[in-house]
Amino acid sequence: MNVTSIFMAMIQLFLILIVGWAGQKSRVLPESAQTVLTKLVVYITTPCTILYSVLSNDNLPGVGTLAELLLLSTLCHLLAAAIAWGAVRLLRVPQGSRGTYMCMLIFSNCGFIGFPVVQAIFGHQAVFYNAVVNIPFYPILYTLGVGLLARDGARRGGEARKLELKWSTFVSPCLVASLLAIVLALTGWKLPQVLTDTVATIGNITTPGALLVIGISIAKQPLRRVLGSPRIYALAALRLVGLPVMLWLGLRWFIADPVVLGVIVVVFAMPTATMVSMLAGEYGGDEEAAVQGVFLTTLLSMVTIPLLMALLM
């Protein structure tokens, strides 16, 4: 893998993020820009990116590889949960915040920023692997994750909220597109070329759109609120470096395909998922710590991801 190309790709992504930050700070972008762009990326362009990764790929994996990816992703999430359980005690995170810190370690931004980064490093065909790896994310987030955040809420003196499990809770446009991509991969079905080209064109909006949103989001955060404590920096180091290195050390003995291994490592090297801060506010977790974690890991990931790829891949 060309290390220089990885660094150049990440620099390009970072520069797009800076454009979003500058557009928000200079008020060139309206207040509604973040909401509109987020919906565009989540509901339209990212699903197209996922579908195009299959439609443009003539060398798709079989059922065995797909099942292996799903199993590995689930096991990696559970392993991350075990590591997080030990980490919050080692870091002496106070009661009422432990669930939030665990969620920041377990759940990465594997979709919103994960797809652009994987595409930049490995090419658009690797996005399909990323889509499969992401499938367990929502079921685990809305069971284990919400349970941890709700426990924090109860210990912080808030009103305990009961999670209502509905099928719509687990359904997202990216999940639907991922499942459809698996069907296309297993059946070999293709769309007419004009439709495939249209899907590709729309999907090309994903990378700049997602990074502009992240830049806007960072620009809206007060500096004093997002600087955080030493504990947050320790968590960021574990989230961005410690966890992916541990997974790489374990998985490299079982995964022969360097792209598959690279995608899994990159997915778990992503910054903390923005959903953690949103759900922390909803279920009474430590929302301030969650916002700090999302901000710091997002910013630092622009440096840590290319370094990890250079050292490990």
Side-chain angles (χ1 to χ4, degrees):
M1 186 175 295
N2 191 322
V3 175
T4 302
S5 65
I6 295 175
F7 274 97
M8 294 306 295
M10 294 305 299
I11 289 173
Q12 184 180 19
L13 298 183
F14 182 73
L15 290 175
I16 299 173
L17 184 152
I18 292 297
V19 170
W21 178 87
Q24 177 62 38
K25 283 295 187 182
S26 63
R27 301 189 183 278
V28 170
L29 298 174
E31 287 298 318
S32 60
Q34 182 177 358
T35 300
V36 172
L37 282 173
T38 298
K39 289 184 177 181
L40 175 66
V41 170
V42 170
Y43 288 95
I44 299 175
T45 69
T46 300
C48 285
T49 299
I50 295 170
L51 292 176
Y52 183 67
S53 70
V54 174
L55 295 172
S56 62
N57 195 343
D58 295 324
N59 188 26
L60 294 167
V63 177
T65 302
L66 296 180
E68 180 185 10
L69 280 171
L70 285 172
L71 177 61
L72 285 173
S73 177
T74 303
L75 290 176
C76 286
H77 277 96
L78 296 178
L79 178 60
I83 293 171
W85 183 86
V88 295
R89 285 153 180 80
L90 185 64
L91 293 173
R92 297 182 180 180
V93 178
Q95 297 286 351
S97 297
R98 287 187 175 183
T100 305
Y101 273 74
M102 286 184 66
C103 286
M104 286 192 283
L105 283 170
I106 299 168
F107 301 106
S108 67
N109 199 333
C110 50
F112 200 76
I113 190 173
F115 285 115
V117 172
V118 167
Q119 182 171 343
I121 295 175
F122 300 105
H124 67 269
Q125 294 180 338
V127 170
F128 177 59
Y129 293 119
N130 190 12
V132 177
V133 170
N134 287 352
I135 288 175
F137 175 85
Y138 279 101
I140 297 176
L141 174 65
Y142 279 102
T143 50
L144 174 63
V146 167
L148 290 170
L149 294 171
R151 187 181 65 176
D152 272 5
R155 289 178 174 174
R156 293 168 71 85
E159 182 180 350
R161 283 201 51 188
K162 183 179 179 182
L163 174 63
E164 297 180 5
L165 295 179
K166 302 177 182 179
W167 70 269
S168 57
T169 301
F170 301 98
V171 175
S172 71
C174 292
L175 179 60
V176 172
S178 299
L179 295 175
L180 181 56
I182 290 176
V183 172
L184 292 174
L186 295 178
T187 59
W189 293 340
K190 296 289 185 181
L191 297 178
Q193 191 60 46
V194 64
L195 293 181
T196 299
D197 292 343
T198 302
V199 170
T201 302
I202 297 173
N204 287 337
I205 302 173
T206 299
T207 296
L211 292 161
L212 286 172
V213 170
I214 293 170
I216 294 170
S217 176
I218 290 174
K220 287 184 175 181
Q221 299 296 334
L223 185 60
R224 283 182 296 179
R225 188 185 183 196
V226 298
L227 285 178
S229 64
R231 190 179 287 123
I232 288 289
Y233 288 90
L235 175 135
L238 185 56
R239 160 77 266 170
L240 298 173
V241 179
L243 180 60
V245 168
M246 283 186 276
L247 292 177
W248 177 81
L249 288 172
L251 295 176
R252 68 193 183 102
W253 302 105
F254 306 100
I255 302 177
D257 189 333
V259 175
V260 174
L261 176 61
V263 168
I264 294 176
V265 171
V266 167
V267 164
F268 283 90
M270 288 293 109
T272 296
T274 53
M275 288 292 295
V276 171
S277 61
M278 295 166 60
L279 291 174
E282 186 175 353
Y283 287 93
D286 190 342
E287 186 179 8
E288 182 174 356
V291 170
Q292 292 171 352
V294 170
F295 171 81
L296 287 173
T297 55
T298 299
L299 200 60
L300 294 174
S301 68
M302 293 295 158
V303 175
T304 58
I305 290 173
L307 287 176
L308 278 175
M309 291 297 98
L311 293 173
L312 303 181
M313 295 293 108

